[in-house]
Amino acid sequence: MDLYRELFLMQQTYATLFSLANKLQVKGDQYLGSLTSRQLMTMIAIFHLAEDETTMNNIARKLGTTKQSVKQLIRIIENKGYVITVPSKQDKRAVNVRITESGKQVMIDCSVRSLKFFADLFKDFTTEEMDILWGLLKKMYRFDGEEQDGFEEDANVGMEEGLNEDQIRELKEFERRRNHSQNEENKNE
């Protein structure tokens, strides 16, 4: 066992993940427009929670961050009119966060815009590689014994119903870009 090589790889992996997380946030923000990546992920977390479980603590757990960080994000999104806070029926000390109609619309718009980002970000990845990467990231997440609360559950963000022409066009463009990337990968094999 080459202990120094393992330590080097751990340090480089951590540094790369740290730098990559920042880069993904900055580049994602450029694609999205109306929301930052963190704001969109916060709203997606809300969609992945039951209506009576959308407390700051649960949202923070879903995002792997602190309640204070979520409070700041919610305040910003609330000022934009995309969410409202209402008293929790289950816990008098807590509030639940609800997405407004304009919030739902901006989420759909940002989700469609994110298709370009995902197509660019994963253009050199096969489906199998993305599956492996996701598995490795989940494995790393649980280094402290805590499982990722995940986003793999189905969420009803409304994209599948009532798509407008622009959204349909973007989905087709996403499919074209993914197919092109996969065809290029196959040529290089």
Side-chain angles (χ1 to χ4, degrees), residues 50 92 187:
K92 300 288 183 209
K187 286 180 188 177

Side-chain angles (χ1 to χ4, degrees), residues 87-182:
S88 171
K89 294 175 185 171
Q90 295 180 338
D91 182 351
K92 300 288 183 209
R93 300 165 294 167
V95 295
N96 285 337
V97 182
R98 303 275 186 270
I99 304 215
T100 64
E101 286 305 314
S102 62
K104 289 175 185 174
Q105 186 56 53
V106 80
M107 277 189 73
I108 291 170
D109 294 344
C110 286
S111 293
V112 169
R113 289 170 166 251
S114 71
L115 293 175
K116 288 180 182 174
F117 178 54
F118 292 148
D120 290 345
L121 178 63
F122 292 105
K123 71 177 184 261
D124 295 330
F125 288 79
T126 65
T127 303
E128 181 183 6
E129 288 171 330
M130 288 187 288
D131 195 36
I132 291 167
L133 178 60
W134 184 36
L136 291 171
L137 289 172
K138 289 191 296 183
K139 184 176 184 178
M140 182 176 273
Y141 190 95
R142 60 181 181 262
F143 78 94
D144 61 355
E146 182 181 344
E147 292 285 332
Q148 183 188 15
D149 195 6
F151 291 92
E152 56 271 9
E153 302 90 4
D154 291 330
N156 183 13
V157 294
M159 281 192 63
E160 64 280 346
E161 4 177 289
L163 294 176
N164 66 37
E165 289 179 26
D166 292 337
Q167 293 166 327
I168 292 168
R169 185 175 53 251
E170 290 299 328
L171 284 170
K172 286 181 180 178
E173 174 62 13
F174 174 75
E175 181 179 33
R176 185 197 65 76
R177 291 172 86 167
R178 282 298 297 157
N179 288 337
H180 176 74
S181 295
Q182 290 172 353

Side-chain angles (χ1 to χ4, degrees), residues 18-146:
F18 187 84
S19 177
L20 177 61
N22 290 325
K23 182 178 181 177
L24 289 174
Q25 189 172 333
V26 169
K27 295 292 184 180
D29 291 353
Q30 292 170 356
Y31 280 80
L32 294 178
S34 304
L35 294 171
T36 65
S37 298
R38 290 180 54 82
Q39 291 167 358
L40 178 60
M41 288 306 298
T42 301
M43 292 178 73
I44 291 171
I46 294 165
F47 264 112
H48 278 83
L49 292 165
E51 188 174 307
D52 59 341
E53 295 180 8
T54 57
T55 64
M56 301 289 177
N57 283 332
N58 288 340
I59 296 167
R61 191 173 307 109
K62 183 74 73 179
L63 293 172
T65 191
T66 64
K67 179 180 174 182
Q68 291 75 21
S69 184
V70 168
K71 275 185 168 181
Q72 288 178 317
L73 285 164
I74 295 298
R75 190 174 336 115
I76 292 166
I77 301 168
E78 191 171 27
N79 288 339
K80 292 181 177 186
Y82 300 145
V83 298
I84 57 170
T85 54
V86 296
S88 171
K89 294 175 185 171
Q90 295 180 338
D91 182 351
K92 300 288 183 209
R93 300 165 294 167
V95 295
N96 285 337
V97 182
R98 303 275 186 270
I99 304 215
T100 64
E101 286 305 314
S102 62
K104 289 175 185 174
Q105 186 56 53
V106 80
M107 277 189 73
I108 291 170
D109 294 344
C110 286
S111 293
V112 169
R113 289 170 166 251
S114 71
L115 293 175
K116 288 180 182 174
F117 178 54
F118 292 148
D120 290 345
L121 178 63
F122 292 105
K123 71 177 184 261
D124 295 330
F125 288 79
T126 65
T127 303
E128 181 183 6
E129 288 171 330
M130 288 187 288
D131 195 36
I132 291 167
L133 178 60
W134 184 36
L136 291 171
L137 289 172
K138 289 191 296 183
K139 184 176 184 178
M140 182 176 273
Y141 190 95
R142 60 181 181 262
F143 78 94
D144 61 355
E146 182 181 344

